[in-house]
Amino acid sequence: MDHKKEIAVRLSKITGLSEEETFKLLEIPPQLDMGDFAFPCFVLAKTLRKAPPMIAADIAADESLKDSVFEAKNVGPYVNFFIDRSHLASQTIKDVLSSGDGYSSSDEGSGKNVIVEFSSPNIAKPFHVGHAFTTILGNSLSRIYKKLGYNVIRMNHLGDYGTQFGKLITAFRLWGDEDKLNEDPITELLRIYVKFHEEEKNDPSLTESARENFKKLEDGCPEEVALWKRFRDMSLVVFEKLYKRLHVEFDNYNGESFYSDKIPAVVDMLREKGLLTESQGAQVVMLDEYDLPPCIILKSDGTTIYASRDIAAVLYRKETYNFDKNIYVVGIPQALHFRQVFSVLKKAGYECADNCEHVGFGLVKFKNMKFSTRDGNIVLLEDLLNEAVAKTREVIVENAKTRGTDMTEEEIDDIAEKVGIGAVIYTYVKSGRERDIVFSWEEMLDFEGDTAPYLIYTYARTRSILRKAAENGIDYSTDKEKASLLTSEEEYALIKSIADFPGSVNKAAASNEPFMISRQISLIARNFNRFYNNSRIINLEDEDLKKARLLLCEAVCDIISEGLDLLGIDVVERM
Ligand code: ARG
């Protein structure tokens, strides 16, 4: 039974509000002694012409809200609902343990297409920690939407087009080194790109040559296209290695180049609708009524730009996927760009512009961390991952020594890779995405803190309890009703936080904020550890309560791994 829904159904019969609205209004009270759900009565004050506390008292007195499972009490302007602890425990545990594709899975999104555009690095440029932000957020959002039954299309809008490729072609012909390119393509491409900018200051003919080369590329000249394609393919090999490590996959890599031949149609459409204006030789769409600067569609030399490709992309996506939602996981600095793109479409009469959303995120900073960076100031994701894994490995080896566990080198490597990468991913998704992130080794690898290592460790330790139960021949799985014995303060707090987990997944999707999930599993892990530190499990004499607690342990494992999986983090069975 979905308790929140049941309360909404009963309430709506009394208040006359719709079930949906009632459902949305129901809150989770800040303290356990205030019940499981609270209904604020403010919205009814106007129609009923009564003070909210009086309304709350009337509602709470209604017998139809109460039975052996539900209790209702008014406190000030709220009606607080209490669910019988035994009932909540057995119901929750049963639901968690019997849900095949996850306790939080639902059919909310059935029949709906969501495009999640994320990662979208620029070809021939290093993949730095900022790209990791969009990659990790987007990966998590795709998983979240999928869990809720949406049909998700994961798109990587590669920055594989634009004037910079004219520069790279010119630079490569002048200074490119074949061997270095094959060895470490991105470093070599970056080297000649930087050199181009230095030399260009004193040699305007370079600028001209780059412009010509880009024009040739747009016109499909074979040599320029071949060179560009080589740079693109080589860069993708490097990016895909990182994606593999992060378990990130895409349905397509339709980058900027993919849309270049779709732009003439966009230009025609805008011209037909009378929206194109000439400004200093360029073709622009004025956006004064949206309080935005004009959006350039074609430059004075007739070449396309970033924005025109994005406009073409929205139209292509609408036609191909008929999306219900089209989200862009891109840094906050591009907010203006997206407002312009969506506004041009809106002005041209495309309603789908309302279903496009820019999901922005903050900056990445480092506290007391030194990297042997290969490229000046930017920190490469690969370096961050490698350091994190190496540091995690040290801790794992140390812990194993103290506890006397013997693990093979291979096992240690595997655990270090999963936990180390998990620690990095978690740092990106543990706070609201618009906040800047500050990396520090002490914080991200703190096995007691709000970190992936803490969560994975909680999981692994709980697994070991279950293994021990199996070794001792305890079969707890057959009688799930036993879970109704879990009514102590600590058990109740833990079960309640588990029962609230699906809601956190819904909220994460509604706000495109994976941290709603990380926060919830972190709470569950903390509640579990409080319970675990004060309760015996395996060596308990009461056989029924022992089984009930083992059921609870299994539910905790399921939820932690489900939650971490939604964030893109692996668990390990022991560490
Ligand atoms: N390649 C761009 C960058 O690295 C991000 C692309 C964002 N997506 C888009 N549809 N414009 O800054």
Side-chain angles (χ1 to χ4, degrees), residues 446-518:
D446 180 356
F447 278 53
E448 315 259 284
D450 181 16
T451 62
Y454 170 73
L455 293 169
I456 300 173
Y457 180 59
T458 302
Y459 172 88
R461 206 183 44 194
T462 314
R463 268 275 168 255
S464 85
I465 301 170
L466 296 170
R467 276 196 301 270
K468 210 182 261 161
E471 280 161 21
N472 293 347
I474 308 168
D475 182 10
Y476 57 89
S477 62
T478 43
D479 195 359
K480 304 213 168 52
E481 285 303 331
K482 295 249 167 11
S484 64
L485 297 170
L486 302 166
T487 54
S488 74
E489 264 330 281
E490 277 139 5
E491 288 157 347
Y492 172 62
L494 173 55
I495 286 165
K496 227 182 104 48
S497 55
I498 293 175
D500 291 339
F501 173 71
S504 76
V505 178
N506 288 100
K507 280 190 222 145
S511 55
N512 293 311
E513 285 281 18
F515 97 100
M516 303 269 172
I517 296 173
S518 56

Side-chain angles (χ1 to χ4, degrees), residues 142-203:
S142 325
R143 288 162 184 245
I144 293 167
Y145 280 110
K146 198 150 181 248
K147 190 59 100 188
L148 298 179
Y150 290 88
N151 177 37
V152 180
I153 302 112
R154 295 159 299 180
M155 297 187 87
N156 191 329
H157 190 83
L158 285 179
D160 59 359
Y161 221 58
T163 43
Q164 68 271 33
F165 293 96
K167 294 179 191 171
L168 266 185
I169 292 171
T170 297
F172 188 73
R173 284 177 177 156
L174 288 171
W175 314 298
D177 179 327
E178 270 298 327
D179 292 340
K180 282 193 192 151
L181 183 71
N182 289 324
E183 212 171 280
D184 184 357
I186 294 193
T187 304
E188 172 63 1
L189 291 170
L190 187 68
R191 179 186 74 83
I192 59 171
Y193 190 70
V194 170
K195 187 170 168 74
F196 179 93
H197 283 278
E198 278 161 10
E199 303 282 328
E200 189 189 22
K201 287 183 206 138
N202 309 316
D203 185 355

Side-chain angles (χ1 to χ4, degrees), residues 117-123 128 131 134 156-160 164 256 259 306-307 309-310 313 317 328-331 334 337-338 341:
E117 188 215 280
F118 65 108
S119 199
S120 312
N122 296 327
I123 291 302
H128 58 72
H131 296 119
T134 146
N156 191 329
H157 190 83
L158 285 179
D160 59 359
Q164 68 271 33
E256 292 185 45
Y259 301 101
Y306 188 52
R309 293 190 278 276
D310 261 324
R317 291 174 187 186
Y328 296 82
V329 187
V330 182
Q334 295 197 34
H337 162 76
F338 285 109
V341 167

Side-chain angles (χ1 to χ4, degrees), residues 19-37:
E19 281 171 26
E20 286 92 64
E21 190 180 354
T22 314
F23 187 86
K24 276 195 200 132
L25 284 169
L26 282 169
E27 297 171 4
I28 294 176
Q31 280 156 246
L32 284 186
D33 59 0
M34 295 166 84
D36 300 284
F37 294 101

